[in-house]
Amino acid sequence: MKKIIVALFSAILVLSGCGGRSSNEVTDTIRWFYATHAVLTTVNNDDINMLGGSRSNLINRALQLSMLEDWWGVTNREEADETIEWLLSGGHNQRFIDEYYLYELETYTREELLRELEGADGWIEAFFINLHETYEIFGDRAILGWDLSRANSLFGWFYIAGLIEYEEALDGMLMVSRIIQENFNSWDEFWESYMRGFLWWNEEDPSDQASEYQSRRRIYEDLKLAQDSPFLLDFNMDFEVDWR
């Protein structure tokens, strides 16, 4: 599976470099791509209708390069490709599954797990409950939504940082978005996997209403209610590739 994904990624980058046109038109297909990371874009106070959330200019390029180095260890194109490859061939989702089995959570019922965790700090209890519940709900897809959302974010950031071209970013998002459609049935299901991934990654107590986890859930619900919400787009829409 890993070899297939890597080969596919390499193929789309070759194709996207073969001419085509650059356009800033935000079609429904492109809005769908941007919707897959709209929560984080909103957290960053960026524009959910722009590739990478901001304009591609000298200042934003410098800022994005610094952010990519600090948060992802990415400083060049090779490292950008390797990061996408890692996210699509296991990433955080595989670590999550490994921890589920490391703690033998498959041997517990929810009631047994709660008894075992009695007296533990809130975030510790939440960590194990999240591992248990998430795997019961999604199985091996677990927090795949978290990884795929972040992959699409990265394609936008790589573009702003000048590491890839406009068409390459959208081709990458197309690949990831098709994987999203293959693994989830709705926006709510996809974002539930994302939220559980964030909770695991940030190690928070979800009962804390001031937590970043709860803030992201509120952002998602607010975006759903917006008059021009991208989540009004059909989750299973056929993508129209018209940017090359």
Side-chain angles (χ1 to χ4, degrees):
M1 179 64 176
K2 178 179 178 180
K3 291 182 179 179
I4 294 173
I5 291 174
V6 174
L8 178 58
F9 181 56
S10 298
I12 65 167
L13 294 185
V14 170
L15 287 172
S16 62
C18 299
R21 64 183 179 84
S22 176
S23 170
N24 290 322
E25 180 185 0
V26 182
T27 63
D28 282 349
T29 290
I30 294 174
R31 288 185 72 228
W32 199 103
F33 298 168
Y34 297 172
T36 63
H37 51 279
V39 169
L40 181 56
T41 305
T42 303
V43 169
N44 292 337
N45 293 314
D46 286 334
D47 188 337
I48 66 171
N49 290 308
M50 293 186 70
L51 180 58
S54 60
R55 296 189 180 280
S56 178
N57 57 35
L58 183 62
I59 294 175
N60 287 336
R61 178 176 181 174
L63 291 172
Q64 204 61 258
L65 282 169
S66 177
M67 183 280 292
L68 287 170
E69 182 175 10
D70 289 346
W71 286 89
W72 290 92
V74 170
T75 60
N76 55 51
R77 174 58 183 267
E78 182 180 359
E79 291 169 347
D81 291 350
E82 289 172 352
T83 301
I84 294 295
E85 177 187 334
W86 178 75
L87 285 170
L88 299 187
S89 60
H92 300 102
N93 188 55
Q94 187 58 56
R95 291 182 181 177
F96 185 97
I97 294 170
D98 290 345
E99 289 187 1
Y100 173 82
Y101 285 109
L102 174 65
Y103 297 116
E104 300 181 342
L105 294 181
E106 75 278 11
T107 66
Y108 288 84
T109 65
R110 179 181 174 82
E111 292 72 23
E112 290 169 341
L113 186 58
L114 286 171
R115 285 197 295 270
E116 186 80 11
L117 294 169
E118 189 173 353
D121 289 344
W123 77 267
I124 294 176
E125 178 179 339
F127 178 84
F128 284 103
I129 292 297
N130 186 41
L131 277 175
H132 189 265
E133 282 186 353
T134 301
Y135 195 84
E136 291 228 324
I137 294 170
F138 291 108
D140 288 342
R141 293 177 300 154
I143 61 168
L144 182 60
W146 169 248
D147 282 339
L148 297 178
S149 177
R150 284 160 72 80
N152 269 353
S153 288
L154 281 168
F155 278 119
W157 296 337
F158 293 161
Y159 165 69
I160 298 297
L163 300 178
I164 62 176
E165 299 298 326
Y166 177 83
E167 292 85 356
E168 290 180 297
L170 292 181
D171 281 345
M173 288 182 176
L174 173 64
M175 173 184 64
V176 172
S177 297
R178 284 175 172 162
I179 297 173
I180 290 172
Q181 286 184 329
E182 289 167 2
N183 283 277
F184 300 97
N185 297 312
S186 67
W187 287 117
D188 282 348
E189 187 181 38
F190 167 70
W191 280 103
E192 183 65 25
S193 175
Y194 169 92
M195 294 298 175
R196 289 175 175 273
F198 177 78
L199 182 61
W200 168 82
W201 180 77
N202 216 39
E203 297 184 344
E204 292 185 328
D205 180 354
S207 67
D208 179 4
Q209 293 302 308
S211 67
E212 179 65 18
Y213 166 78
Q214 288 294 349
S215 174
R216 293 194 183 206
R217 281 202 171 272
R218 287 191 293 270
I219 287 171
Y220 174 58
E221 294 302 324
D222 288 345
L223 286 172
K224 283 171 61 178
L225 294 174
Q227 188 173 9
D228 59 346
S229 173
F231 303 121
L232 294 174
L233 295 169
D234 180 8
F235 184 80
N236 295 305
M237 72 179 291
D238 293 326
F239 299 133
E240 184 177 350
V241 181
D242 59 358
W243 53 82
R244 296 188 192 133

